[in-house]
Amino acid sequence: MSKGYSLESVNELSGGDDEFITVLVQTFLEEIPPDLEGMGQAVQNNDPTTAYQFAHKMKPNLQLFGIDLLKEIKQVEAWSKSGMEKSEIESILSHIVATVNKAINDLKADFQ
């Protein structure tokens, strides 16, 4: 089964420094779960401004770890400015949550 993440960009950024890679992974594991939860809560509470902020904040970390959700994150950002109902974004949010949780679980298994 394939990993939910890629270290290609992390390795480029770190220059192969294993300690730096570990710090990046730890930072990801500390910051992303609460951001993911916050984005989900914001969508459920129909708070598009907060959903946008969490989506926007998560984007660089997801890209750094090769988690291919840019299209979906942009959809959350667009939803937050569109005035559409939360039902319009819930399936996309579910996909984001499932994908990010897989990456989190894989990173925890590989680095802890």
Side-chain angles (χ1 to χ4, degrees):
M1 191 157 162
S2 67
K3 299 282 182 197
Y5 68 92
S6 166
L7 292 180
E8 187 176 330
S9 294
V10 172
N11 285 327
E12 279 181 35
L13 181 66
S14 72
D17 182 341
D18 289 339
E19 285 183 38
F20 186 58
I21 292 169
T22 300
V23 169
L24 289 174
V25 169
Q26 288 173 339
T27 302
F28 182 91
L29 293 174
E30 289 169 7
E31 292 183 4
I32 293 299
D35 290 348
L36 186 63
E37 175 70 21
M39 185 174 66
Q41 288 294 324
V43 169
Q44 290 308 310
N45 295 333
N46 209 17
D47 180 357
T49 301
T50 302
Y52 176 90
Q53 291 169 344
F54 280 115
H56 190 72
K57 181 181 174 198
M58 289 173 32
K59 194 168 26 177
N61 281 318
L62 298 177
Q63 289 178 297
L64 179 63
F65 281 87
I67 303 167
D68 188 24
L69 289 171
L70 185 59
K71 180 180 89 169
E72 291 83 355
I73 293 293
K74 285 183 175 184
Q75 287 174 305
V76 172
E77 290 175 334
W79 168 80
S80 70
K81 296 180 181 213
S82 70
M84 290 188 293
E85 293 296 318
K86 70 179 181 180
S87 61
E88 299 285 328
I89 201 69
E90 287 175 327
S91 67
I92 292 164
L93 177 65
S94 293
H95 176 69
I96 292 170
V97 168
T99 303
V100 172
N101 280 333
K102 176 172 178 16
I104 289 168
N105 290 332
D106 288 347
L107 282 165
K108 283 180 179 178
D110 293 344
F111 284 89
Q112 292 183 337

